[in-house]
DNA sequence: CCTAGCGGTAAGGGTAATAAGGATGA
DNA sequence: ATCATCCTTATTACCCTTACCGCTAG
């Protein structure tokens, strides 16, 4: 019946148009409208644009400092395609190489390179530089590359755990200077963004903050706050939560990260599953792999995890799915050297071999201890067919 | 003198790595 | 009962995007 969803899953646009599109207020768990008139991204693969158009777009991305709004607008109006999200290892390497070659080509010292990336003097700005590096990682917009490089090449980066003395220095600096992070950074000896992070994630509310396991009261409170903020406002319970605000509403007793993780990894699936906790099963693994396979991406950094859950299989948050994928992937020996498709192929075989539990879950004859089995039937029901159906490889690849 | 847009800084939104405790099943 | 293994929960450094706005080139 709803096999179609399983097989097709979201048409992944991740490369292109996955603007974080505040989901239009759908009902509680109503099927999210495809964020896109399902053309643009898959079309890209097929052959939507002339190469000439592509070149123009890439040039635009590498030379113009387009604002987020403008970017989103162009995705809609003229099918602009650009990449968002974490930089892959490959991209990082491409950036490094581009910078190296720029350095040698212009015979720059380390200090000179530093001056280009962090110019102290107006006169040393070099717009050419950012364009050149951006061209090494299409289709990224220049501003994304700019921020990426400024973080990666910052001399104060990557300093590990904070020491008590640093916390004290940070507190004092903020007391003296306010939230002027660049100035604070100079005093503390950490990147501005790291100072800001340390402050908002750990120092603010430090005396009221509690850690460790959550009490029932706290869990109920968080659930109430989140549902008030989302469902009751007609917003999306998975994507429209403002975690800093939630933390405030929790009276500062839990930080924004604590609240977010608690919700997405634990409480949300409980709410979606009538108050009982589902447990990750081989069937779930099976579904996940097939969904990922159907995306036909080149690399898992292109996956937009937010688009994976669907109404018939929505117990698992995007975050959970992403992590489950990672652990499955790492369970394969030598996965580092493999292509994404290799890994998917291996997992598809590997995870279809554990059908015992899946099929026994179907057997109502011996109801296994917990009721949580009950819910599995919904998704497990279609698995055996899907499995025997086989030929999972290509099938739908090109719609007309 | 005006103004478009560059690019530096802050704010907002999110994940990866890790550890430790809890189920599960041979 | 035991132990390996997988799963869940919690922590925190680190990461990416967007908003904002002063400045300057044209």
């Amino acid at each position: 019946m709803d096999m179609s969803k399983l097989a097709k899953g979201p048409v992944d646009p991740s490369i292109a148009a996955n603007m974080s599109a505040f989901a239009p207020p759908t009902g509680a768990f109503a099927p999210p409208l495809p964020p896109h008139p399902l053309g643009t991204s898959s079309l890209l693969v097929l052959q939507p644009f002339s190469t000439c158009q592509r070149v123009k777009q890439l040039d635009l991305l590498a030379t113009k400092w387009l604002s987020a709004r403008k970017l989103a607008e162009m995705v809609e109006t003229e099918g602009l395609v650009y990449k968002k999200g974490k930089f892959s290892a490959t991209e990082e390497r491409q950036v490094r190489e581009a910078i190296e070659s720029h350095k040698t080509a212009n015979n720059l010292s380390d200090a000179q390179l530093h001056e280009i990336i962090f110019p102290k003097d107006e006169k040393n700005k070099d717009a050419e530089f950012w364009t050149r590096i951006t061209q090494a990682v299409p289709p990224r917009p220049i501003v994304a590359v700019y921020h990426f490089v400024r973080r990666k090449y910052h001399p104060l980066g990557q300093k590990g755990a904070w020491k008590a003395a640093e916390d004290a220095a940070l507190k004092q600096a903020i007391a003296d200077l306010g939230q002027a992070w660049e100035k604070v950074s100079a005093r503390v000896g950490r990147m501005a963004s790291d100072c800001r992070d340390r402050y908002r994630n750990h120092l603010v509310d430090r005396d009221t903050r509690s850690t460790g396991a959550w009490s029932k009261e706290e869990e109920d409170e968080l659930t109430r706050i989140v549902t008030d903020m989302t469902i009751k406002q007609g917003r999306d319970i998975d994507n429209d939560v403002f975690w800093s605000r939630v933390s405030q509403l929790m009276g500062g007793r839990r930080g924004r990260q604590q609240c977010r993780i608690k919700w997405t990894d634990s409480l949300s699936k409980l709410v979606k599953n009538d108050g009982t906790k589902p447990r990750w099963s081989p069937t779930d693994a099976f579904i996940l792999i097939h969904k990922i396979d159907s995306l036909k991406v080149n690399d898992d950094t292109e996956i937009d995890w937010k688009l994976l859950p669907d109404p018939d299989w929505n117990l698992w948050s995007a975050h959970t799915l992403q992590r489950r994928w990672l652990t499955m992937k790492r369970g394969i020996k030598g996965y580092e050297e493999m292509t994404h498709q290799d890994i998917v192929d291996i997992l598809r075989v590997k995870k279809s071999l554990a059908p015992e539990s899946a099929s026994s879950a179907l057997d109502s004859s011996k109801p296994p201890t917990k009721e949580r089995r009950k819910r599995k039937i919904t998704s497990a029901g279609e698995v055996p067919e899907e499995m025997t159906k086989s030929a999972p490889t290509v099938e739908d690849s090109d719609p007309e």
Side-chain angles (χ1 to χ4, degrees):
Chain A
M1 32 186 219
D2 35 12
M3 183 135 337
S4 52
K5 280 164 205 147
L6 203 171
K8 296 196 105 147
V11 186
D12 166 75
S14 88
I15 271 224
N18 61 5
M19 338 142 275
S20 44
F22 273 172
T26 66
F29 303 118
L33 310 180
H36 231 317
L38 85 104
T40 35
S41 68
S42 49
L43 281 179
L44 165 64
V45 181
L46 299 191
Q47 168 83 254
F49 308 116
S50 66
T51 39
C52 168
Q53 274 174 301
R54 272 311 282 159
V55 169
K56 263 203 210 145
Q57 282 197 355
L58 292 180
D59 184 62
L60 194 69
L61 287 171
T63 55
K64 297 295 180 188
W65 289 70
L66 301 166
S67 70
R69 213 191 319 272
K70 184 72 182 168
L71 233 28
E73 181 192 319
M74 293 178 67
V75 167
E76 289 296 334
T77 60
E78 46 197 279
L80 175 69
V81 172
Y82 74 99
K83 186 172 179 190
K84 296 180 75 165
K86 192 166 169 51
F87 279 62
S88 68
T90 305
E91 287 175 313
E92 181 166 351
R93 205 188 57 241
Q94 289 166 335
V95 166
R96 289 221 128 82
E97 286 170 1
I99 290 177
E100 274 313 303
S101 79
H102 181 85
K103 196 178 157 194
T104 54
N106 297 31
N107 210 3
L108 300 172
S109 67
D110 285 342
Q112 286 170 313
L113 179 62
H114 181 273
E115 182 61 23
I116 289 176
I117 300 176
F118 306 96
K120 287 187 190 59
D121 187 336
E122 275 293 318
K123 295 288 146 271
N124 289 331
K125 284 192 190 172
D126 181 0
E128 270 301 292
F129 174 78
W130 295 112
T131 294
R132 210 174 305 258
I133 307 307
T134 303
Q135 284 164 343
V137 280
R140 292 274 185 183
I142 194 169
V143 66
V145 174
Y146 171 81
H147 287 303
F148 177 77
V149 171
R150 300 236 321 170
R151 167 169 267 279
K152 272 308 191 217
Y153 282 74
H154 201 291
L156 297 177
Q158 306 282 82
K159 303 202 114 183
W162 282 72
K163 305 202 170 38
E166 288 179 303
D167 277 343
L170 177 56
K171 264 188 160 166
Q172 189 56 53
I174 293 170
D176 294 346
L177 305 165
Q179 301 187 20
W181 302 112
E182 282 301 325
K183 289 177 188 155
V184 169
S185 164
R187 283 255 294 262
V188 175
R190 293 264 193 170
M191 276 193 291
S193 58
D194 290 349
C195 291
R196 192 281 306 247
D197 281 344
R198 183 64 187 174
Y199 176 70
R200 69 172 170 165
N201 291 332
H202 303 287
L203 258 40
V204 90
D205 297 329
R206 173 170 263 190
D207 3 314
T208 48
R209 185 75 56 85
S210 59
T211 61
W214 288 55
S215 71
K216 184 77 173 72
E217 288 70 35
E218 285 179 307
E219 292 185 352
D220 290 346
E221 194 179 353
L222 179 60
T223 302
R224 185 180 55 71
I225 291 171
V226 172
T227 49
D228 279 358
M229 183 180 283
T230 56
I231 295 180
K232 297 200 179 157
Q233 312 283 324
R235 297 178 200 275
D236 180 65
I237 199 169
D238 293 311
N239 298 307
D240 293 348
V241 188
F242 309 111
W243 293 107
S244 301
R245 180 84 188 112
V246 170
S247 173
Q248 279 177 14
L249 292 171
M250 290 287 292
R253 293 188 312 285
R254 294 287 181 172
R256 63 173 196 117
Q257 289 171 302
Q258 288 175 299
C259 292
R260 162 185 277 280
I261 293 292
K262 184 64 188 178
W263 174 258
T264 57
D265 285 4
S266 176
L267 261 28
S268 75
K269 63 191 178 195
L270 205 147
V271 167
K272 293 174 185 177
N273 199 39
D274 301 326
T276 53
K277 284 187 188 176
R279 196 177 159 83
W280 184 256
S281 71
T283 305
D284 291 317
F286 181 86
I287 295 173
L288 175 57
I289 290 164
H290 276 257
K291 273 178 168 288
I292 289 175
D293 186 30
S294 72
L295 297 178
K296 299 297 174 207
V297 293
N298 300 312
D299 186 297
D300 55 12
T301 59
E302 290 176 9
I303 297 173
D304 184 348
W305 296 97
K306 274 188 183 169
L307 299 178
L308 276 183
D310 71 40
D312 293 327
W313 187 59
N314 69 350
L315 270 355
W316 309 107
S317 67
H319 188 212
T320 301
L321 294 178
Q322 182 171 3
R323 288 198 317 187
R324 297 256 50 109
W325 164 254
L326 260 181
T327 63
M328 284 195 280
K329 171 176 158 182
R330 288 177 181 163
I332 301 176
K333 239 195 301 260
Y335 72 90
E336 291 101 329
E337 318 302 329
M338 298 178 190
T339 68
H340 173 71
Q341 193 56 49
D342 287 343
I343 293 172
V344 171
D345 289 341
I346 291 172
L347 283 176
R348 211 177 37 226
V349 174
K350 190 171 170 187
K351 294 298 177 180
S352 66
L353 288 183
E356 291 313 333
S357 49
S359 55
S360 80
L362 290 174
D363 264 357
S364 47
S365 53
K366 64 162 193 184
T369 50
K370 301 250 175 181
E371 326 158 339
R372 85 164 81 87
R373 293 289 186 198
K374 250 199 248 162
R375 82 134 251 280
K376 269 180 201 153
I377 297 176
T378 42
S379 45
E382 48 214 316
V383 168
E385 291 180 62
E386 171 69 15
M387 255 145 90
T388 56
K389 224 177 174 185
S390 80
T393 14
V394 216
E395 45 171 343
D396 55 329
S397 52
D398 59 11
E400 49 249 25

